[in-house]
Amino acid sequence: MKLAVVGGGSTYTPELIDGFARLRDTLPITELVLVDPAADRLELVGGLARRIFARQDHDGKIVTTTDLDAGVEGADAVLLQLRVGGQAAREQDETWPLECGCVGQETTGAGGLAKALRTVPVVLDIAERVRRTNPDAWIIDFTNPVGIVTRALLQAGHKAVGLCNVAIGFQRKFAKLLGVAPSEVHLDHVGLNHLTWERAVRIGGPEGENVLPRLLAEHGDAVADDLRLPRPVLDRLGVVPSYYLRYFYAHDEVVRELGTKPSRAAEVAAMERELLEMYGDPALDEKPALLAKRGGAFYSEAAVDLAASLLGGGGSPYQVVNTYNNGTLPFLPDDAVIETQAAVGAHGATPLPVAPVDPLYAGLIANVTAYEDLALEAALRGGRDRVFRALLAHPLVGQYAYADGLTDRLIAHNREHLAWA
């Protein structure tokens, strides 16, 4: 089995490699290709990857290349984990929206739109090249904003499934609090990528006992602290929102916070420099503890599980993925991409039935879906007016003066990545 990782020079990659090594019975890889245009980073990451495989007695071959077409040729699955513009572009995404009093974040709001505009054309080009060399390959997208990118891939006819680590993070956290195995925890996870709520936590499968009320009663303080939301908010809602919901539920508070400290991008860039120095140490043969602070917890387990199921292996029968709605949420169009529990196999991902969604959540889901429609149109066709329309539709912007100012800033900061600008 051959897998290719586009963006293989990322400092995330050793987390992925560690999962491939530990879970080789689930996903028996014979060849893993790390593809990245940054040859210097690729050499450091590739060297550590080989040492991790060797330490864990994995006999798979690890190849590094800057040649995308050669790297994906013959691959059974291609994982996308790229960041167009690098941390420098992320730094901008997190700062210039604050000038208009709007949240600066790399996956939602104005910063998230900027990332989508930079990313969608690049991902579609990669996917077309994958299709030319190996039309049967699955594309697993971990590249943010996952919902918009996955929708672009699916609309272009690619065999694609989107992946995020939010759900598996909640699964592992809840399992630890409840004292059960993670495989026993089934989430009623509903919404869009980075806009989701856990409405039930079931033990033993989709029809198991819902223990969410007990979880909140016994561990609500710990859950609230992790989300940085007041405990009474969770008690009143009776659900666990994704930590990304804080940008919506406490927008002004977050904006004030962001204006008083270094950006997350600056913190990550400093971590990346330290990690790359570590990766260059020939004695290092395991992922360093610092990597846990980089983000992406449990990404490797989620990626292995999804790839194994798509390729007919031993992955879990139910997984939270990003895929077409196809009537699952009746208030959304069929071609909206939702994040939900799905039955996953060689056929792809089929969403499980979802109980009716409270208007409190359905309204926001529908609003952000409308924004994603306009964001994808702007990413595919360009133009200042399309960018403005997408920003005006976003609930974190929503005022014409803000949308106008943010449009000008977005184009000015991203001109080198926008062919139409």
Side-chain angles (χ1 to χ4, degrees), residues 27-115:
L27 189 68
I29 298 171
T30 55
E31 182 178 358
L32 178 64
V33 184
L34 305 181
V35 184
D36 203 294
D40 52 343
R41 291 172 62 109
L42 193 59
E43 180 179 359
L44 294 173
V45 173
L48 175 57
R50 294 186 185 97
R51 295 193 297 273
I52 291 173
F53 264 30
R55 177 190 174 98
Q56 301 195 34
D57 296 321
H58 194 302
D59 58 5
K61 179 173 69 170
I62 294 180
V63 177
T64 58
T65 181
T66 58
D67 185 333
L68 174 66
D69 294 320
V72 301
E73 185 174 3
D76 297 289
V78 177
L79 278 69
L80 305 181
Q81 57 168 35
L82 54 144
R83 183 185 295 280
V84 180
Q87 293 297 333
R90 177 181 180 174
E91 169 81 19
Q92 294 177 355
D93 294 343
E94 294 178 345
T95 52
W96 54 262
L98 297 174
E99 297 170 7
C100 294
C102 295
V103 70
Q105 212 277 330
E106 65 158 342
T107 64
T108 191
L113 177 61
K115 183 166 182 135

Side-chain angles (χ1 to χ4, degrees), residues 43 88 163 191 290 292 348 374 404:
E43 180 179 359
L163 180 66
L290 177 62
L374 296 170
D404 249 340

Side-chain angles (χ1 to χ4, degrees), residues 189-230:
H189 180 100
V190 65
L192 311 175
N193 180 241
H194 290 186
L195 192 86
T196 52
W197 296 262
E198 312 304 331
R199 300 186 303 172
V201 178
R202 302 190 182 278
I203 302 300
E207 305 302 323
E209 177 192 2
N210 178 22
V211 297
L212 179 57
R214 173 163 64 89
L215 179 73
L216 289 177
E218 297 178 0
H219 305 286
D221 288 342
V223 175
D225 287 346
D226 282 345
L227 299 174
R228 299 188 64 201
L229 288 171

Side-chain angles (χ1 to χ4, degrees), residues 332-355:
L332 297 184
D334 285 348
D335 66 349
V337 165
I338 62 173
E339 186 169 289
T340 189
Q341 284 279 3
V344 182
H347 67 283
T350 303
L352 300 182
V354 170

